[in-house]
Amino acid sequence: MIFNRFKDFGLTFDPVPGPQTLTTPHGFDALFPASQGSLYGRSPHGLTAAFKRPTARTAIPGLYLCGGGTHPGAGVPMAVLSARHAAAAIMTDHALQSTSPQTDTRGGMSMGSATAGPKRSLSSGS
């Protein structure tokens, strides 16, 4: 039983799920009709089905996909790789785009001149 194997790794269930929790593709289809019984999104059919999986980026700005139903596919290693793709897309799309040139300020901080006094702040109005 798989629950004994889980226990070997320190994962226990209380109460232990019984046979009534078993879900087959037919049962999954009944619970989620749009899935057509496929646990990982659209059922892959045909030779090129693997290439039709959605990628991390979507047409909706800010919405990214990852998991077994997205590229590269089902299974824990592929779902983790999918998460890496999504994280990379987010990092690329939301990278800091500084419009200011890099500068080198001696002493590590910017300070007003001791002889000229403090400068008026444009942001505070004072």
Side-chain angles (χ1 to χ4, degrees):
M1 177 180 230
I2 189 65
F3 294 108
N4 293 332
R5 185 70 175 140
F6 286 156
K7 190 174 181 180
D8 292 343
F9 291 99
L11 181 62
T12 58
F13 294 85
D14 185 29
V16 174
Q20 72 278 11
T21 61
L22 177 65
T23 302
T24 62
H26 180 70
F28 197 82
D29 182 39
L31 289 169
F32 306 101
S35 71
Q36 298 178 342
S38 178
L39 180 62
Y40 292 109
R42 296 188 335 237
S43 289
H45 296 293
L47 292 173
T48 61
F51 303 108
K52 295 178 183 175
R53 292 183 189 275
T55 59
R57 284 188 182 90
T58 67
I60 301 170
L63 177 64
Y64 298 85
L65 304 176
C66 70
T70 61
H71 176 76
V76 173
M78 295 299 108
V80 171
L81 188 56
S82 171
R84 289 181 76 184
H85 287 290
I90 292 167
M91 295 297 286
T92 300
D93 293 352
H94 297 282
L96 177 61
Q97 301 294 325
S98 176
T99 57
S100 302
Q102 278 191 320
T103 61
D104 179 27
T105 304
R106 295 174 193 243
M109 63 175 64
S110 179
M111 308 172 77
S113 168
T115 57
K119 287 187 175 184
R120 182 174 167 247
S121 170
L122 297 177
S123 63
S124 67
S126 57

